[in-house]
Amino acid sequence: MPSTSPSNHAALESLAAARWRIGLGLTAAMTGIYVVFILLIAYGKGFLGTLLAPGLSVGIALGVLVILAAWALILVYVRWANDHYDREVAAIRGGRR
Amino acid sequence: MSGAMGEPNALAMLFFFVFIAASLGITWFAARRTKTTEDFYAAGRSVTAVQNGLALAGDYMSAASFLGIAGLVALSGFDGLIYSIGFLVGWPVVLCLIAEPLRNLGRYTFADVVAFRLQQRPVRVASAFGGLAVIAFYLIAQMVGAGNLIRLLFGLSYEMAVIIVGGVMLAYVLFGGMLATTWVQIVKAVLLMSGAAMLALLVLAQYAFNPLALFADAAAKFGPSVLAPGRLVSDPIDAISLGIALMFGTAGLPHILMRFYTVPDARTARVSVAYATAAIGLFYLFTFILGFGAMVIVGQDAIRAIDAGGNMAAPLLAEAVGGQAFLGFIAAVAFATILAVVAGLTLAGAAALSHDIWVSVVRRGHADGGEQLLVARGATILLALVSILLGIAFKGQNVAYMVGLAFAIAASANFPALLLSMFWKPFTTAGAVASIVVGTASALLLIYFSPTIQIDLLKHTSALVPLRNPGIISIPLSFVVGIVVSLAMPEAEAAAKFAATERQLHLGEEA
């Protein structure tokens, strides 16, 4: 077991907290978007049936938007992790040696 | 329509044999490189991000996604899209909460992670139980689907189809392990994506490549209601219950979780989820086109005439826009899709039986590599035989609810224990076991007393539980039980190991 300095331990703790916050935040965002979509399906049938253009109902447009939102949330996390998280992990590893 | 459905289709057979020959070639190649347990379960941890992304997509997109959703959209329009979307939204959860920690903490199964700082034997038994329950229901649904589908597509008998699927899948997993299974998934994912894309393009070619013109035509022919929510979601609580089970169930499917061990590190695991979600999302967008395309080009009555559930909508559409050759190709793709999913499930089941139960519980961790491989291969043969028998036993049964049940158990039994073990310090052995057992049992009981079983299958007049989907009760219940039991019976050793767990979770094993 390699020894760890107090500052190293604190850095890991703050990184763990940041990752948890982001992970939970994005999960909550996805859940929220999806639950609102389902509630609209249940209670807003008329609204979702409104045509924005011939062939394009609000429901279909929102359905595509939910898929795009899932992609966007994934992109947000991957960018944060690739840029920030990986650098912090490398710094903590380096600081220990 | 011509009456080609249910007749032996020579071209479909030819495409299918080409796929079988190619995949067995891959298996032969993989078998020569599969020498250790690390090779067998985790493909030597040599899979790249793009490869794993496609393999995840291959493992996830079952025949239910391809044929089932296209059929639902064709018959009920917008309502079918609710499933397309529900199956995608679980992936951000997998990415943000599960994929990287799992890769850093475990070796072969998700039980590795749950048991990381807890007492091995009780947690392994409980986790393997939760995992195998998910796999069993998923396998039955796939095998029964395979039998019905292949009977319709190729004119083979139901039993013959089930035996062929079981036998070919056994060859992949037994000899080629995870490496062969991974490549079968990749080939299948590419075939499925390109088949769906070609089909979508052929449909859109009739509408000047404007999807809105297609949707407008559907509304003109079948009424504007096909573009709006209909009867499928009548009870909002039930709909949310299904939705959260699909969402969190994805993060508890053993064969999906196992894929994260095949990559070299956490970063690759992370990026592979992004590729997987891109592929799966794109595929579900294609299902919009395929469903509405089948609705207007084939027609709802013609689809219902072949199969009341609409499962033949996509193959019928392929025949209508691309002729016999394209029907053959799409039929072979559907067969390949089932084979690949069944192979992934069997490998995950074999890992639970051999790695979790035999090596960790029976032998208490003292089994050499040769013995582990032998037991893993024995478990594979056992599971292949069981899946063939279950497939035949459930012939003619309505198993549509079983995939939903598999997701509900995955979300209620596996996901809470996995999450709490990684992120909640006071979590204990008793808490983990209680959470998994209560999650599995409550999901099973709630389904048993639901209208799906009591009214639809057993023909009783009423059901004890009004919900068709147990998730909204069983998932929170599993979390609450895990937390309350842990707080009531603290485990000093588990809490003491939390700091080391957290370290390895972020920094990986070499830290």
Side-chain angles (χ1 to χ4, degrees), chain A residues 13 57 77 82 85-86 93, chain B residues 100 227 267 270 502 507:
Chain A
E13 285 293 310
S57 63
Y77 179 79
N82 282 356
Y85 178 77
D86 283 355
R93 276 200 191 127
Chain B
E100 297 161 67
L227 301 180
R267 187 187 171 105
R270 171 199 313 151
E502 199 168 50
L507 303 185

Side-chain angles (χ1 to χ4, degrees), chain A residues 44-71:
Chain A
K45 288 190 192 339
F47 171 62
L48 291 193
T50 316
L51 287 183
L52 297 169
L56 182 66
S57 63
V58 173
I60 288 185
L62 286 180
V64 173
L65 279 180
V66 174
I67 291 184
L68 294 181
W71 279 345

Side-chain angles (χ1 to χ4, degrees), chain A residues 4 8 13 16 19-20 30-31 34 38 42-43 45 49 55 57 59 63 66-67 71 74 77 81-82 85-86 93 96, chain B residues 78 85-86 88-89 95-96 100 215-216 227-228 230 233 236 239 243 247 267 270 277-278 282 423 502-503 506-507:
Chain A
T4 48
N8 191 276
E13 285 293 310
R19 193 196 180 282
W20 179 237
M30 188 76 256
T31 313
Y34 186 50
I38 295 176
Y43 295 109
K45 288 190 192 339
S57 63
V66 174
I67 291 184
W71 279 345
I74 291 229
Y77 179 79
N82 282 356
Y85 178 77
D86 283 355
R93 276 200 191 127
R96 202 196 64 233
Chain B
F78 178 84
I85 294 159
L88 185 75
V89 292
L95 173 68
C96 295
E100 297 161 67
F215 301 157
L227 301 180
V233 179
M247 243 183 123
R267 187 187 171 105
R270 171 199 313 151
T277 314
L282 199 59
F423 296 107
E502 199 168 50
R503 210 173 163 77
H506 292 285
L507 303 185

Side-chain angles (χ1 to χ4, degrees), chain B residues 168-396:
Chain B
V168 177
M169 166 274 277
L170 175 64
Y172 296 158
V173 180
L174 187 63
F175 299 113
M178 183 52 108
L179 190 58
T181 306
T182 300
W183 278 99
V184 167
Q185 304 293 6
I186 294 172
V187 170
K188 164 253 173 107
V190 170
L191 280 176
L192 184 58
M193 298 284 297
S194 47
M198 268 159 35
L199 196 47
L201 280 178
L202 285 170
V203 169
L204 287 180
Q206 304 191 8
Y207 291 92
F209 296 98
N210 177 5
L212 296 184
L214 167 67
F215 301 157
D217 193 22
K221 283 188 177 139
F222 295 91
S225 64
V226 297
L227 301 180
R231 290 172 297 105
L232 204 66
V233 179
S234 48
D235 180 348
I237 295 179
D238 223 351
I240 290 177
S241 192
L242 170 69
I244 61 171
L246 293 180
M247 243 183 123
F248 297 111
T250 305
L253 294 175
H255 62 303
I256 296 292
L257 297 176
M258 196 178 176
R259 292 230 61 86
F260 294 115
Y261 297 128
T262 67
V263 296
D265 51 35
R267 187 187 171 105
T268 316
R270 171 199 313 151
V271 178
S272 72
V273 182
Y275 286 119
T277 314
I280 296 167
L282 199 59
F283 176 77
Y284 285 135
L285 287 176
F286 290 150
T287 60
F288 285 39
I289 311 287
L290 302 190
F292 282 109
M295 185 191 287
V296 288
I297 294 172
V298 180
Q300 291 187 333
D301 293 336
I303 295 168
R304 269 197 210 96
I306 301 281
D307 177 74
N311 285 320
M312 289 301 118
L316 284 168
L317 179 66
E319 191 181 22
V321 296
Q324 281 290 309
F326 198 48
L327 168 65
F329 177 69
I330 291 293
V333 167
F335 204 159
T337 292
I338 296 176
L339 256 177
V341 172
V342 170
L345 286 166
T346 302
L347 185 56
L353 282 175
S354 55
H355 177 65
D356 293 330
I357 299 295
W358 180 260
V359 176
S360 304
V361 175
V362 178
R363 304 279 282 161
R364 295 175 185 251
H366 301 292
D368 63 29
E371 179 183 329
Q372 294 191 31
L373 260 184
L374 190 71
V375 175
R377 290 199 156 119
T380 306
I381 296 174
L382 181 74
L383 280 169
L385 290 176
V386 168
S387 62
I388 290 172
L389 289 178
L390 286 175
I392 292 173
F394 278 82
K395 179 184 179 179

